[in-house]
Structure formats: C-alpha cells, structure tokens
Amino acid sequence: QVQLRESGGGLVQAGGSLRLSCAASTRTDSTYAMHWFRQAPGKERKFVAAISRFGTSTKYADSVKGRFTISRESAKNTVYLQMNSLKPEDTAIYYCAASLTYPETTPPNWGQGTQVTVSS
C-alpha cells in the first residue's frame, strides 16, 4: 500500500497561486492513477483532478478547469496541483489519493490533507 503526504498548502489572497505537492512512498507512475480531492468546511469531499499512469491523460472538475493543472514527476514519485487564479470558494482541505483505476471516485489510498485558504 502506497503512503502519501501532501504539502504546499497555505493562506493566499484571491487571484493568487499555490502549488500543492503529493509525495509517494514508492514509485507510482507505472502503477497508480493519482487524484486530488478537496473538502470544504461542512461539505462533502469532492473530486478536483486526476492524472493517469505515466501522465497520458488528465481530468478536471468543471469548477477548476483552466485554473488548475495536475502533473506528475516520476523521478521524485511526486504529483503536483498547480492552482492559479484562486478564489475564496477554493478554500478547503486538499487530499491526494492513489488508485489502480483511472479515474476513480473512491480511491483506496489517501494522504492526510493540506489546508488551502483563499482570502477575499
């Protein structure tokens, strides 16, 4: 089972940018599709973005299309979420997840999450 650790969250003003990182405990590019989900206070966890094995395909939630970019760096076993033009409604805990299938609505492997707060 792969272990995941997110980093890069923080406080940013609306219109700003952040890059989240998700470091895996093992090589993932040939085995796992990787995902980002987020959970806002009092709301359900929602899909944000996914990237297939080897990064050949990506998917995004409509709410982040054109603003967020998911990518993976095989040499570092790391997946990134570049977030631009951030809005207050992007405020949430962001979770990285791994699955054998792509895309996956309920991945079995999760990180602990990283907080993103966007001020207006």
Side-chain angles (χ1 to χ4, degrees):
Q1 185 172 354
V2 61
Q3 305 297 319
L4 304 172
R5 183 175 64 188
E6 304 94 334
S7 62
L11 173 65
V12 64
Q13 289 187 333
S17 298
L18 281 176
R19 188 177 79 159
L20 305 183
S21 299
C22 173
S25 60
T26 186
R27 182 176 180 179
T28 59
D29 61 327
S30 61
T31 305
Y32 292 99
M34 301 298 293
H35 306 68
W36 287 97
F37 288 75
R38 67 186 181 186
Q39 186 168 18
K43 297 188 177 181
E44 294 184 349
R45 189 175 298 183
K46 292 187 176 180
F47 169 78
V48 175
I51 187 166
S52 65
R53 295 182 302 158
F54 302 110
T56 53
S57 176
T58 57
K59 294 185 182 295
Y60 297 93
D62 288 343
S63 59
V64 306
K65 279 181 182 177
R67 300 188 299 122
F68 290 12
T69 302
I70 189 171
S71 62
R72 62 194 309 166
E73 187 174 358
S74 299
K76 295 185 177 181
N77 297 328
T78 299
V79 175
Y80 303 101
L81 185 68
Q82 177 66 44
M83 306 186 295
N84 299 326
S85 302
L86 283 162
K87 305 174 181 181
E89 51 263 43
D90 294 317
T91 295
I93 299 174
Y94 283 71
Y95 297 90
C96 176
S99 66
L100 299 179
T101 54
Y102 169 81
E104 176 58 62
T105 56
T106 55
N109 303 289
W110 293 84
Q112 83 290 347
T114 186
Q115 176 71 49
V116 171
T117 303
V118 184
S119 63
S120 58

